Amino acid sequence: MWGWEQLYFNVKDGYLEAIVRGHKSGLLSVPDYNNLTQCEALDDIKLNLVRQQQQPPTATDYGAYLANEASPLFTSTIVDRCTRKLVDDWNMMRCQADEKLAKFLDFCTYGHMIDNVVLIVTGTLHERDVQELLDKCHPLGMFDSIATLAVAQNMRELYRLVLVDTPLAPYFSENLTHEDLDEMNIEIMRNTLYKAYLDDFAAYCTQLGGTTAEVMTDLLAFEADRRALNITLNSIGTELTRDDRKKLYSNFGLLYPHGHNELSIAEDFDQIRAAMEKVPAYASLFNKLGYGESQMLDKLLYEEEVKRCAACYEQQFHYGVFYSYMKLREQEIRNIMWVSECVAQDQKSRVNDGIVFLF
Amino acid sequence: MSDLSPAHGSSSEAELKEAKFVGTLHAIDDYLAACTQLTAALKGGWFSLARAKYAGAPGASLGQAAYPGDMRASAVVSVVEPSDPDDLFDRFELQRAADGPSVSSDAGAAPETSGGGRDRGRDAAADRSNASEAAAADGQVPAAGPSATGSGRGSKAAADPLQWFGGGLPPADLRQAQRDFQGALAAAVAAANQLQRLRGLADALLDGGSTAGSADEAEGAAEQPAARGGGRVLLRGALLQP
């Protein structure tokens, strides 16, 4: 029964909820993005994020991370430093979390862990240096034995030698371990793992109950639906069969099960649109797109995600604020990356195509 | 410019020179158009790549970490001698890779042991090597992707570079970026060919002017190759300036 958490939530988790709300208030606002879009070079973007020259000197949350970066700057450098801010905040909260919240925070990072596993395995398939691949991994998805992924020759070894001792072990099915390692199978492995992870995360949140279950069910359902949509869009015209495509869809969400049936047989964007528009929550999204137009879809989906994450903060005493903070911060980093790319490529007229304002 | 004035030749020679001059100007237009197309294709490609990074997962890697360690070119530019014997400037031809056997098709019926996976990879690599040699013997460009003589594990990277960045599910923006960069490569070769044609026309224009005079002047011109070449370079530079 929701509402009882008002009595006991702050005993263990009140401090960290306050911390995460403080981090959330440090996210960039519309005036900040207006200043960034006026920049002519990457050094200007850095100066705007550091902002020490104003009186009184004020800095964004990234000030300390970018202040000592020397020219020439690259987009990847800016993104790396901004990501470091998220990682430091997350690790600080994780260190001080109690058991239940710590498990929740760990769940939030398993997606990054899956991405890191795929990065290492793909890079090893391509005979890249392991240390070079480790440098490219997301810090939030690291685990102790990640470097030993390079010795695995197929998925069975991948599971038996390395992943059996990681949190991803339950997500490996018997079917998955019989596959050999090539690009297609690795991508199927990624999506299969992510599907199992989302199902498990949703089950854990439901078990937590209360406002956390209510908020996280909505957020994870949207995530599952968005992944189903992206898998469908990206698999059109590829060798992925309809049955294989359907196996990658999660077992929950607004599209489950009828929407998934229609998406699995869709062959072009208009058929996908027809399937999505049957869900009222997504019909408004697709109404903003012209027929056959799919380039703006990513931005619309991010806007919807940001809207849902920002709405989380209207309620107190739940863990959804932590998940939302991660998503909002990642969107902000994505915005900064987009502005940086547009400035670097002299495409400033297109800069507003990708910025999703958080507030 | 005195060599080009109609006073030094008949009207037909003047018309010939004017036609060559106009042809050279057209060649300049074509060259600049090819350069513009190349610039637009490159700009579109880099922007599509930025969109792919924007739309991808935070952990998705679209950088060099996804490149195979032993990449082979998927297209080569070969130098072709011109068909006209009077044309001194070679042309360039873009040759795309021949389609080779795919790794996934070879991996379908192998045994399910851990050693079998490695053997399957080596067999596939050997097949690719044989296909590459056969393609090379036929004059085609060998298939893209890793060579069979890699580090010994037998690299299993796909032939299509697009699959290095998302397996069989590359995002639409990444496919668009590939199309843009392929177009840019074709535009670069076209621009290079236009430049060669322009050089040929510029030389023909200057040769037409220098042979309009007497044999003594021709001998004098032959004794002063540096000056003639310098004049050619100056005119080419003047013609090629934007």
Side-chain angles (χ1 to χ4, degrees), chain A residues 112 115 119 122-128 132-133 136 150 152-154 157 178 180-184 187 191 234-236 238-240 295 298-299 302 330-331 334 337-338 341-342 345-347 350 354 356, chain B residues 43 46-47 50-51 53-59 61 64-70 103-104 107 112-114 117-118 120 150-158 163-164 166-173 175:
Chain A
H112 297 294
D115 290 334
L119 177 67
T122 305
T124 306
L125 180 76
H126 294 165
E127 299 188 339
R128 306 296 299 191
E132 176 190 348
L133 296 171
K136 295 289 184 184
Q153 299 289 337
N154 54 40
E157 285 187 0
H178 290 295
D180 199 8
L181 291 173
D182 61 25
E183 276 91 353
M184 174 59 91
E187 190 64 22
N191 286 288
N234 293 342
S235 62
I236 289 175
T238 67
E239 57 189 34
L240 193 69
Q295 285 193 343
D298 293 313
K299 184 181 175 186
Y302 285 135
E330 286 179 347
Q331 181 59 45
R334 201 177 288 121
M337 183 273 293
W338 179 255
E341 288 282 355
C342 288
Q345 294 183 27
D346 195 23
Q347 294 265 22
R350 307 289 297 273
V356 175
Chain B
K43 202 168 185 178
W46 284 114
F47 193 71
R51 289 189 63 93
K53 287 180 188 175
Y54 175 83
S61 173
Q64 294 185 9
Y67 294 177
D70 50 353
V103 177
S104 57
E112 296 171 351
T113 59
S114 57
R118 187 182 310 165
R120 188 187 317 154
S151 65
R153 275 196 61 200
S155 177
K156 299 181 186 179
Q163 296 191 0
W164 301 344
L169 305 178
D173 290 314
R175 297 183 213 185

Side-chain angles (χ1 to χ4, degrees), chain A residues 16-61:
Chain A
L16 287 179
E17 183 184 353
I19 290 291
V20 79
R21 285 181 182 271
H23 289 321
K24 173 245 183 187
S25 67
L27 294 170
L28 297 180
S29 57
V30 174
D32 295 324
Y33 286 115
N34 288 337
N35 289 337
L36 287 176
T37 56
Q38 302 297 321
C39 295
E40 295 290 334
L42 295 182
D43 287 327
D44 295 340
I45 291 176
K46 172 196 159 185
L47 286 175
N48 264 280
L49 293 175
V50 175
R51 282 199 306 215
Q52 290 294 335
Q53 296 178 353
Q54 290 181 357
Q55 291 298 330
T58 57
T60 64
D61 286 356

Side-chain angles (χ1 to χ4, degrees), chain B residues 49-158:
Chain B
L49 204 56
R51 289 189 63 93
K53 287 180 188 175
Y54 175 83
S61 173
L62 293 181
Q64 294 185 9
Y67 294 177
D70 50 353
M71 281 193 297
R72 191 185 301 171
S74 59
V76 296
V77 176
S78 54
V79 180
V80 177
E81 289 184 0
S83 53
D84 185 358
D86 294 332
D87 192 349
L88 300 178
F89 296 93
D90 295 329
R91 297 291 183 266
F92 305 107
E93 193 174 282
L94 181 65
Q95 290 178 312
R96 304 250 178 220
D99 291 330
S102 65
V103 177
S104 57
S105 61
D106 291 333
E112 296 171 351
T113 59
S114 57
R118 187 182 310 165
D119 293 341
R120 188 187 317 154
R122 286 183 180 160
D123 289 342
D127 287 342
R128 275 201 302 279
S129 175
N130 292 336
S132 300
E133 290 171 0
D138 292 340
Q140 292 177 319
V141 177
S147 63
T149 57
S151 65
R153 275 196 61 200
S155 177
K156 299 181 186 179

Side-chain angles (χ1 to χ4, degrees), chain B residues 24-40 187 190-192 194-195 197-198 239-242:
Chain B
T24 305
L25 292 180
H26 285 311
I28 292 174
D29 277 342
D30 293 339
Y31 171 70
L32 293 176
C35 288
T36 303
Q37 190 180 359
L38 171 62
T39 304
Q194 289 295 338
L195 186 60
R197 177 174 159 243
L198 183 57
L239 289 173
L240 291 181
Q241 276 196 358

